[in-house]
Amino acid sequence: MPAPPTTATPVLTPAMRAEIEAFIPRYPTKQAVTLPALHVVNEHLRCVPMEAIPEIASILELAPAQVYDTLSFYGFFKPSPCGKVRAWVCRSISCALRGGEEVLSALSDKLGVKAGQTTADGKVTLEFGECLGLCDFSPAMLAGTKVYKNMSVEQVDEVAALLKEQADQHG
Amino acid sequence: MAEFEPVLLANIHKTDSHTLPVYQAAGGYAALKKVLAGMSPVDVVELVKASGLRGRGGAGFPCGLKWSFLPKDHPGPIYMCVNADESEPATFNNRILMELDPHHVIEGIIIGCFATRASTAYVYVRYEYPTAFQRLQQAIDECYASGFLGKNIQGSPFSLDIFMHRGAAAYICGEETGLIESLEGKRAWPRIKPPFPAIEGAFRKPTVVNNIETMANVPHIVNRGADWFKSMGIPSTGPKDPGSYGPKLYCISGHVNKPGCYEMPLGITCRELIDRYGGGVWKGRKGKAAIPGGLSMGLFTEKEFDTPLDFAVPGKVGCLGLGTAAVTVMDETYSMIDYLHNACRFFAHESCGQCTPCREGTSWSERILTRIKHGKGRLKDLDILLSIAGAIGIIPGTTICGLADGAAWPIKNAINKFRGEFEDHIKRTNPTGYAQEEPAEALQLVELVH
């Protein structure tokens, strides 16, 4: 991991730092704030850039490698910004039985990206999800905090439009 | 048996069921008040022990017994970790409780913490449950404002804080020591046991890890007693069987007409769940197979649908166990190759990578299944898959946690119970190469979109 440039503007804003520090009293160790801190940065920046790692480490009195070790375990935190909306289409068994993989494939074609990629306009990151716990509504998708239920291949044009709309609302 | 009265889902259809006034109007927090007014922590542990409540998260360990393993007279702190990382494929009962009746869950947690003398509880909720997270947080805020959480709850000497902790999309965090490591801010690599969490858990302190549904049972046991709880379910058949008592939230999904979550006494058969609650197999078709309790548990054939879904019986038809009691039905048109490919892909994706047999075994299985699925399978692959399945997991003693056992069981059950279908598929799709014995060429597999 490259050493952080010392003169650069910090990645973490004072607001982000304050949010992270507010978690500290909840836990007996500062290291336990690692995951909450990664979430704070991710919520603000839609990613956790490498430059943020030493800054998080310094707040939590950890080595940057400790923060990176945890971050890298979860495929969730990306080094460069995701789209304004991240959409996870479930590919696990209950959804697969009702056409989930076909929905993912059709949505992928419609948006012109593969799972894991972001649309050229920066609006939507399409991903596959492993069981989203929405098996009573399969095939299902989680987009941001919104749940799309009982999807079908026929609906993907509409779903793609709704995702873009959702992205626009996020400004 | 008396007419079954649902208790776990009794509130969920009410308007604003997630709010404190609605919960209290339905008698909510009466159990907590009863505990604080006249019971000692030991009384509560003994009551839960007497009820026979077993953990609903998958392992079925007796809850009261787990609590009794905490060291006596420990100076503290003692922690409770509530496992809301519900990630077992096909399972969503915890989500329903948290979204629609969060106070119910919280009352159980508070009583559980009182019983175990825990001063802090962390509720570890998977990232994919934003509404559950928000509803629980809102309920916790209401509890602080109403004196159900914080210092000296309802004027008693008992104090408790509950904090929400958000996961980041990793199945392994549902393993109790993986959860603890993740809570501590580390990679979620499960720990070697012993020491068990009761002795050395979160932050190296005594810790109990309990599932959401398990906690939701606790207020009812306090209100109605151990005998009431034991009046439901399948009694113990001997000293080694702790029995299967109480109500259970069964999930049903896949090829049925009415996927959903239904509350019933433990021990309903898979067929009854499908026909009576799931509305039968969809499209007028017949059932072919069903996952008995989350993907890890293996597979019932249609003939095994009459198996009671309790803690003891699924194991007797070759499945791993009851698991989360989440049934997924596959109809007669569905390919077992597709099922097993899906299962192997899941476990390969979710293996945490700590133990080599699991990390390599799950991804090897996935590669073989991908090859079989795309017409490059060999009959020999079936034996290779079975040998992998026999070599990974806690049962053969090669891994730290049970993820690999969960990866092995779908392989064992699918191949042993549907071997003919696998052989036919391999011969039909690879007519020139199915009998090949030499190691398979490393193939550039189909370009997978996902």
Side-chain angles (χ1 to χ4, degrees):
Chain A
M1 196 170 66
T6 46
T7 51
T9 320
V11 176
L12 269 57
T13 61
M16 287 186 234
R17 296 184 70 93
E19 269 184 69
I20 292 169
E21 282 161 359
F23 279 99
I24 293 175
R26 296 182 172 198
Y27 303 93
T29 67
K30 287 191 176 179
Q31 187 170 14
V33 180
T34 303
L35 213 41
L38 293 170
H39 277 307
V40 166
V41 175
N42 193 57
E43 295 278 319
H44 283 271
L45 304 177
R46 303 201 304 267
C47 66
V48 181
M50 290 300 271
E51 295 75 18
I53 292 166
E55 296 179 32
I56 294 171
S58 129
I59 299 172
L60 303 182
E61 297 171 12
L62 298 168
Q66 286 174 288
V67 176
Y68 185 72
D69 186 63
T70 301
L71 175 150
S72 64
F73 180 79
Y74 303 94
F76 179 81
F77 302 105
K78 307 295 183 193
S80 54
C82 290
K84 289 179 179 169
V85 170
R86 275 175 95 172
W88 289 270
V89 180
C90 181
R91 68 171 190 177
S92 292
I93 191 71
S94 298
C95 284
L97 283 163
R98 298 173 79 100
E101 306 219 37
E102 290 76 8
V103 168
L104 176 55
S105 184
L107 198 52
S108 171
D109 290 346
K110 177 68 194 171
L111 292 169
V113 291
K114 290 183 181 178
Q117 296 177 338
T118 303
T119 53
D121 57 12
K123 288 185 181 178
V124 180
T125 299
L126 181 67
E127 303 188 45
F128 65 77
E130 294 293 6
C131 189
L132 302 170
L134 296 166
C135 326
D136 40 350
F137 305 119
S138 37
M141 175 174 82
L142 177 70
T145 59
K146 193 175 164 190
V147 170
Y148 289 71
K149 302 173 179 178
N150 303 313
M151 302 204 302
S152 67
V153 169
E154 292 70 38
Q155 293 170 336
V156 295
D157 288 1
E158 190 191 338
V159 168
L162 285 169
L163 286 172
K164 299 263 172 143
E165 204 176 287
Q166 210 182 321
D168 292 338
Q169 284 162 3
H170 278 240
Chain B
M1 196 190 299
E3 182 72 15
F4 174 66
E5 178 201 346
V7 292
L8 298 173
L9 298 184
N11 293 330
I12 63 165
H13 300 293
K14 294 174 185 162
T15 308
D16 293 330
S17 61
H18 60 286
T19 62
L20 182 58
V22 174
Y23 184 64
Q24 283 194 285
Y29 291 106
L32 175 62
K33 287 176 183 166
K34 183 175 170 184
V35 164
L36 294 175
M39 294 177 79
S40 70
V42 175
D43 292 341
V44 182
V45 173
E46 290 304 319
L47 174 68
V48 172
K49 246 189 192 173
S51 75
L53 171 64
R54 292 173 68 176
R56 283 357 188 188
F61 196 83
C63 179
L65 188 62
K66 187 189 259 189
W67 289 355
S68 71
F69 291 157
L70 289 161
K72 310 283 176 275
D73 305 319
H74 191 275
I78 291 170
Y79 295 110
M80 173 173 281
C81 293
V82 183
N83 189 343
D85 193 60
E86 182 173 67
S87 310
E88 181 62 34
T91 312
F92 49 93
N93 51 345
N94 290 350
R95 187 199 89 229
I96 287 172
L97 284 173
M98 292 189 282
E99 288 183 354
L100 298 175
D101 205 2
H103 280 285
H104 183 176
V105 171
I106 287 171
E107 184 176 12
I109 296 170
I110 301 173
I111 297 170
C113 288
F114 175 85
T116 54
R117 298 184 166 92
S119 52
T120 307
Y122 296 101
V123 185
Y124 191 108
V125 182
R126 69 184 304 210
Y127 180 81
E128 293 87 337
Y129 282 179
T131 305
F133 188 93
Q134 181 253 322
R135 289 271 169 90
L136 274 176
Q137 185 60 61
Q138 194 184 330
I140 288 170
D141 294 344
E142 285 179 306
C143 282
Y144 275 105
S146 312
F148 290 116
L149 280 174
K151 290 233 175 303
N152 303 111
I153 293 173
Q154 301 293 300
S156 77
F158 177 58
S159 301
L160 175 69
D161 287 311
I162 301 182
F163 298 117
M164 300 291 293
H165 192 91
R166 198 160 200 201
Y171 173 73
I172 195 62
C173 295
E175 198 281 341
E176 62 175 0
T177 58
L179 183 152
I180 288 171
E181 288 285 309
S182 177
L183 174 70
E184 290 184 358
K186 302 167 193 166
R187 55 177 52 226
W189 275 1
R191 293 177 182 170
I192 290 170
K193 294 181 265 191
F196 288 93
I199 306 301
E200 194 181 296
F203 310 107
R204 304 286 156 191
K205 300 292 182 192
T207 301
V208 280
V209 186
N210 281 130
N211 166 268
I212 289 283
E213 186 188 342
T214 314
M215 290 296 93
N217 276 285
V218 172
H220 303 292
I221 294 171
V222 169
N223 280 331
R224 297 164 184 244
D227 290 341
W228 163 79
F229 196 79
K230 280 199 137 167
S231 72
M232 289 169 278
I234 309 289
S236 156
T237 53
K240 284 189 177 171
D241 172 15
S244 299
Y245 299 107
K248 179 78 191 86
L249 297 181
Y250 288 95
C251 298
I252 182 159
S253 63
H255 291 162
V256 290
N257 286 312
K258 292 194 299 173
C261 176
Y262 303 98
E263 179 178 354
M264 275 160 284
L266 267 165
I268 183 173
T269 68
C270 181
R271 194 180 303 281
E272 195 182 355
L273 182 65
I274 295 168
D275 291 343
R276 196 166 148 201
Y277 297 90
V281 180
W282 75 348
K283 301 182 180 176
R285 292 179 187 158
K286 287 185 187 143
K288 176 176 180 179
I291 295 166
L295 190 60
S296 301
M297 294 299 117
L299 214 53
F300 285 151
T301 62
E302 200 276 338
K303 286 196 175 71
E304 292 163 347
F305 282 5
D306 294 308
T307 308
L309 296 167
D310 70 1
F311 285 109
V313 189
K316 293 178 183 163
V317 296
C319 294
L320 192 50
L322 176 68
T324 58
V327 169
T328 307
V329 179
M330 294 165 229
D331 73 25
E332 57 191 332
T333 69
Y334 191 65
S335 156
M336 289 298 109
I337 289 90
D338 287 345
Y339 151 78
L340 192 55
H341 174 259
N342 191 290
C344 289
R345 183 180 66 185
F346 174 81
F347 291 107
H349 188 259
E350 296 300 338
S351 173
C352 80
Q354 182 176 205
C355 306
T356 303
C358 175
R359 183 185 64 244
E360 299 304 318
T362 54
S363 56
W364 189 10
S365 316
E366 186 201 359
R367 289 197 302 276
I368 294 176
L369 257 305
T370 305
R371 198 154 45 70
I372 293 175
K373 189 173 164 171
H374 293 95
K376 299 285 184 185
R378 306 163 309 151
L379 293 176
K380 190 184 173 185
D381 289 328
L382 301 178
D383 293 322
I384 294 175
L385 283 165
L386 286 175
S387 79
I388 296 170
I392 61 175
I394 291 180
I395 293 169
T398 58
T399 63
I400 291 171
C401 88
L403 186 145
D405 300 272
W409 244 258
I411 297 174
K412 290 183 190 187
N413 282 180
I415 295 179
N416 289 329
K417 296 182 182 186
F418 294 93
R419 187 160 188 133
E421 182 177 340
F422 279 87
E423 290 179 351
D424 290 348
H425 171 90
I426 291 168
K427 287 180 185 167
R428 183 171 47 79
T429 58
N430 190 12
T432 56
Y434 69 85
Q436 188 190 325
E437 283 285 322
E438 299 82 57
E441 196 184 333
L443 293 167
Q444 185 62 49
L445 297 171
V446 279
E447 193 187 30
L448 297 173
V449 178
H450 39 84

